[in-house]
Amino acid sequence: MEEESIRKIRSRSERILLIISHAVLIFMSFTAIVPFLLLISSSLTSEAELVRTGYSFWPKEWSIDAYRYVFVTNWKNIGRSYLITMMNTVIGTTLSLFITSLLGYVLSRRDYNKRAILSFFVFFTMLFNGGLVPTYISYTRIWHIKNTFAAYILPGMLMNAFNVMLMKSYFTMNIHPALIEAAKIDGASEGTIYRKIVMPLSLPILATIGLMIGINFWNDWQNPLYYITKQNMWSLQSLLNRILSSIQTLSQMADKMGGMTANMPSTSARMAIAVIGVLPILVLYPFFQKYFVKGISLGGVKE
Amino acid sequence: MNTDPSKSISEKESYKRKKRFFTALDLMALPGIIYLIINNYIPMGGLFIAFKKIDFAKGIFASDWVGFQNFKFLFRSSDAAVILRNTLLYNLAFIVLNCVCGIAVGLFLNEIRNKLAKKFYQTAILLPQLISIIIVAYITYGFLASETGFVNNHILKAMGKAAVNFYSKPAYWPFFLIFIHIWKTIGYNSIIYFSSIISVDKSLYESAEIDGANRFQQITKITLPLIKPIAITLTLMACGRIFYSDFGLFYQVPMNSGPLYATTNTIDTYVYRALLQLNDIGMSSAAGFFQSIVGFCLIMIVNGIVRKISPENALY
């Protein structure tokens, strides 16, 4: 009898908690997704409707004028930015994975004679940094990267100590020193060992970290904000950045001159550009979600 | 380390390898080392410009030393108090809310038994983490724009209230920015806590159940105490970065709107504006120097504390 009532209480408390959990998580999922719907519906609203009633989730007057503007009228500029973003992402991610994994691998080698000092050299950059001003001055005055494509990849993006440490701990845990010794006895050079043994065994970590790096490159807007002033070199994010600030000036002007933006779909077009900027990520996300979650939990739990 | 396999090969060969000064492994580490020198160490060395009056005609090294003059200008200006206050208060709010919300959502996720539902929730709440802050600024603008914004046209109007020009009313922005920060980072934080919650030994719950503990008691008596170390560590590490702010959040989301500076200007946005919009190297380098040095000291202190309470989570 007593046991029965205990079980009842237990199952009731469990059920209440389950209901609360579902309720909270449904609400949060809703809050996370709904803003994207506003972005998408805004880009599909007719310009006249936008001027009349503003952005809404279910416009009365749908229109693809904004996309016509993006893909036909102005595709020359927007397409170029898209291409630049893709190139930065591919080249940046490849280079970044290459030098990060190399350094992480060397640090994971217990027989490496400069291991301690090099670890400190890498690690110290996590504790201390020079900040924006000296970084900006050295990149522009010493390395002259202003308005070059290197500006998208070099400053702050190519490698960071945190990823090196993640790689290092993966190699330490997953690649047995005996394997490397055996290859050496067979006469393999260090380069061959890295290429033929270490890399094939490290595909999971390369995928996880590569994904994080790739998203960073795709989303980066700070480097072009600091270092790129030429319009024909803008990536998608920097194009979006300029439109965000220049429509602001446009709308201020429109106030003074009485709505001069009525003909061009500028209000919906900016949303359409934003949509095509996030679309690849939104579409691919369900497929790489697993790696993304893994990457986050890796960062939280250190070696 | 007698069992170190590297020693197992013949002594002669390992001796030969050690004698060579520059090895293949050095060569493999070299690209990374060069990058860290260019990207991190040269800028660290460049911190001295905070004590100079930079004149590019003379060159950086030949510019005149001015002692603490840049700092005097900075801390006498009315900006210093505002950017320090904003940076610290926003970070305090973020630290508390990240911890509380992250643990709460992590616990809720742990309650869900249905695998599909769990995956859906995780996927959804992580979504904002993936997108650039520029897109967030566009979405925010979609909601808050004065003429075309959703809030003014569909919510305030329906309630019979007058439209609000949000981008010139600083009082609203602490709420907006805190909300957007939590919206963007909650997925990340909850997954970090969730992954430490699921690593709790299951047998503890089983024996608690046999003793008649209900689900709430199991959470407060088992789960929470066991994730306390990781919560304290993450919170302390965040405290170590309390003088740093998310530049994108404070610059892009309020669309760099001047009237909002009272509640949106932080050290990072100030340094950026002073350097690239006002060309004031003195003030920006002084603010940056302050941030780097104080940040370094705080990280060292915080790490010292973490090392005492939970050594396995310390940075070193």
Side-chain angles (χ1 to χ4, degrees):
Chain A
M1 191 65 201
E2 204 183 313
E3 228 173 70
E4 183 85 335
S5 68
I6 286 174
R7 194 174 303 142
K8 226 175 231 166
I9 293 169
R10 197 158 61 214
S11 68
R12 203 180 58 198
S13 77
E14 208 156 312
R15 217 172 325 127
I16 293 172
L17 198 58
L18 191 65
I19 292 168
I20 296 174
S21 303
H22 274 294
V24 170
L25 289 168
I26 287 171
F27 171 76
M28 290 186 55
S29 307
F30 186 76
T31 318
I33 293 169
V34 157
F36 292 95
L37 300 182
L38 184 71
L39 187 74
I40 293 167
S41 67
S42 302
S43 72
L44 288 167
T45 312
S46 85
E47 196 67 15
E49 162 98 8
L50 277 180
V51 173
R52 226 174 20 245
T53 59
Y55 299 119
S56 68
F57 286 98
W58 198 261
K60 291 190 197 81
E61 224 176 273
W62 297 84
S63 149
I64 56 158
D65 282 353
Y67 288 93
R68 201 171 292 139
Y69 169 79
V70 168
F71 286 110
V72 182
T73 321
N74 206 4
W75 182 243
K76 206 179 136 238
N77 290 312
I78 296 164
R80 186 182 44 222
S81 296
Y82 218 77
L83 194 69
I84 290 173
T85 294
M86 287 199 287
M87 274 172 42
N88 292 338
T89 306
V90 172
I91 298 173
T93 308
T94 313
L95 271 177
S96 179
L97 271 183
F98 183 62
I99 70 169
T100 306
S101 63
L102 271 176
L103 190 53
Y105 168 66
V106 172
L107 287 177
S108 77
R109 283 281 294 267
R110 264 163 278 198
D111 56 337
Y112 180 52
N113 56 356
K114 306 178 193 72
R115 191 172 179 234
I117 182 146
L118 191 58
S119 291
F120 179 78
F121 179 84
V122 173
F123 176 68
F124 188 69
T125 62
M126 285 169 83
L127 302 176
F128 190 50
N129 70 76
L132 176 64
V133 185
T135 307
Y136 177 80
I137 290 178
S138 87
Y139 270 118
T140 52
R141 300 273 158 178
I142 304 176
W143 310 107
H144 299 285
I145 64 158
K146 203 148 193 168
N147 287 324
T148 67
F149 284 108
Y152 280 110
I153 290 173
L154 281 181
M157 297 288 293
L158 195 53
M159 191 183 81
N160 63 59
F162 190 72
N163 284 344
V164 175
M165 296 299 179
L166 284 184
M167 289 267 192
K168 179 196 142 190
S169 61
Y170 183 89
F171 293 139
T172 313
M173 282 185 290
N174 292 284
I175 291 170
H176 199 275
L179 205 61
I180 293 165
E181 273 320 308
K184 263 194 215 160
I185 289 163
D186 288 345
S189 70
E190 293 290 358
T192 315
I193 294 173
Y194 166 79
R195 222 173 48 239
K196 294 271 170 66
I197 297 172
V198 179
M199 284 297 101
L201 285 173
S202 313
L203 293 180
I205 191 82
L206 290 175
T208 307
I209 292 184
L211 180 70
M212 300 290 206
I213 296 171
I215 291 172
N216 275 346
F217 273 110
W218 185 274
N219 283 341
D220 182 51
W221 52 275
Q222 291 198 22
N223 280 356
L225 177 70
Y226 302 147
Y227 303 108
I228 306 284
T229 53
K230 274 194 193 148
Q231 198 194 331
N232 61 8
M233 291 183 66
W234 286 350
S235 67
L236 199 63
Q237 299 291 338
S238 78
L239 181 75
L240 283 169
N241 178 19
R242 310 295 155 143
I243 294 172
L244 190 67
S245 44
S246 81
I247 288 264
Q248 218 184 335
T249 42
L250 246 182
S251 65
Q252 282 161 7
M253 277 162 61
D255 279 345
K256 281 180 203 146
M257 296 163 66
M260 51 158 269
T261 49
N263 293 330
M264 200 189 87
S266 60
T267 328
S268 52
R270 61 197 317 206
M271 292 306 193
I273 301 171
V275 169
I276 64 161
V278 284
L279 211 57
I281 290 187
L282 294 188
V283 170
L284 294 175
Y285 175 47
F287 301 102
F288 63 63
Q289 189 257 7
K290 196 178 71 188
Y291 290 101
F292 194 63
V293 171
K294 206 156 84 191
I296 292 173
S297 10
L298 259 186
V301 191
K302 281 203 312 150
E303 181 188 357
Chain B
M1 286 288 258
N2 284 332
T3 51
D4 194 336
S6 63
K7 295 271 163 68
S8 61
I9 37 170
S10 73
E11 280 293 314
K12 211 193 249 169
E13 191 162 330
S14 75
Y15 175 74
K16 215 161 66 187
R17 197 173 300 141
K18 225 173 252 169
K19 231 179 77 175
R20 238 188 305 161
F21 185 70
F22 200 76
T23 64
L25 286 180
D26 291 332
L27 194 68
M28 289 164 80
L30 199 60
I33 294 173
I34 293 174
Y35 179 69
L36 287 179
I37 290 173
I38 292 174
N39 190 65
N40 297 74
Y41 283 94
I42 291 177
M44 280 180 212
L47 277 170
F48 70 87
I49 57 178
F51 300 96
K52 285 199 165 213
K53 183 177 168 28
I54 293 295
D55 179 356
F56 286 117
K58 285 186 192 168
I60 295 165
F61 292 102
S63 296
D64 301 330
W65 291 99
V66 291
F68 284 91
Q69 203 184 53
N70 290 328
F71 294 87
K72 267 186 212 150
F73 278 128
L74 173 68
F75 285 105
R76 268 195 210 135
S77 74
S78 56
D79 295 334
V82 173
I83 61 174
L84 271 177
R85 183 202 64 191
N86 286 346
T87 311
L88 290 176
L89 288 183
Y90 276 114
N91 272 326
L92 275 180
F94 294 166
I95 289 167
V96 172
L97 288 170
N98 281 344
C99 182
V100 174
C101 299
I103 291 175
V105 176
L107 287 171
F108 288 138
L109 273 174
N110 191 40
E111 289 304 309
I112 308 295
R113 295 284 164 264
N114 184 329
K115 280 228 173 85
L116 200 70
K118 188 186 276 189
K119 192 174 177 203
F120 171 77
Y121 295 145
Q122 273 192 345
T123 308
I125 58 177
L126 255 178
L127 191 59
Q129 176 82 38
L130 284 172
I131 58 167
S132 85
I133 200 81
I134 306 252
I135 305 289
V136 178
Y138 273 82
I139 295 175
T140 310
Y141 181 79
F143 278 96
L144 299 179
S146 55
E147 282 125 45
T148 50
F150 180 79
V151 172
N152 277 337
N153 281 293
H154 296 277
I155 295 181
L156 291 181
K157 208 180 257 175
M159 288 163 60
K161 290 194 174 148
V164 179
N165 194 356
F166 290 108
Y167 285 92
S168 60
K169 296 273 184 338
Y172 294 105
W173 284 85
F175 169 75
F176 292 150
L177 291 174
I178 290 171
F179 178 83
I180 291 166
H181 172 84
I182 299 299
W183 177 77
K184 202 167 183 327
T185 56
I186 184 74
Y188 181 89
N189 283 316
S190 60
I191 282 181
I192 287 183
Y193 283 112
F194 175 65
S195 62
S196 75
I197 290 170
I198 55 173
S199 65
V200 172
D201 188 355
K202 293 283 176 296
S203 64
L204 288 173
Y205 296 120
E206 278 155 25
S207 46
E209 210 158 299
I210 290 163
D211 291 343
N214 68 26
R215 202 71 194 127
F216 294 110
Q217 288 165 329
Q218 289 175 24
I219 287 172
T220 50
K221 298 279 155 60
I222 300 173
T223 319
L224 289 181
L226 282 172
I227 61 168
K228 208 166 102 188
I230 186 92
I232 291 175
T233 308
L234 288 175
T235 304
L236 277 171
M237 289 302 173
C239 291
R241 297 190 49 82
I242 204 160
F243 283 96
Y244 288 91
S245 60
D246 179 352
F247 174 58
L249 179 69
F250 293 98
Y251 178 79
Q252 295 292 357
V253 177
M255 309 227 305
N256 193 20
S257 172
L260 302 180
Y261 286 176
T263 55
T264 61
N265 207 2
T266 62
I267 298 178
D268 294 87
T269 56
Y270 177 83
V271 171
Y272 168 75
R273 288 192 194 107
L275 176 70
L276 281 136
Q277 294 179 350
L278 309 173
N279 271 318
D280 189 339
I281 294 177
M283 296 281 245
S284 57
S285 60
F289 183 89
F290 173 80
Q291 195 182 33
S292 290
I293 301 297
V294 176
F296 178 63
C297 298
L298 271 179
I299 293 253
M300 298 307 278
I301 293 169
V302 160
N303 192 60
I305 301 171
V306 174
R307 214 154 30 149
K308 283 239 167 67
I309 55 176
S310 125
E312 73 273 21
N313 287 311
L315 278 172
Y316 60 93

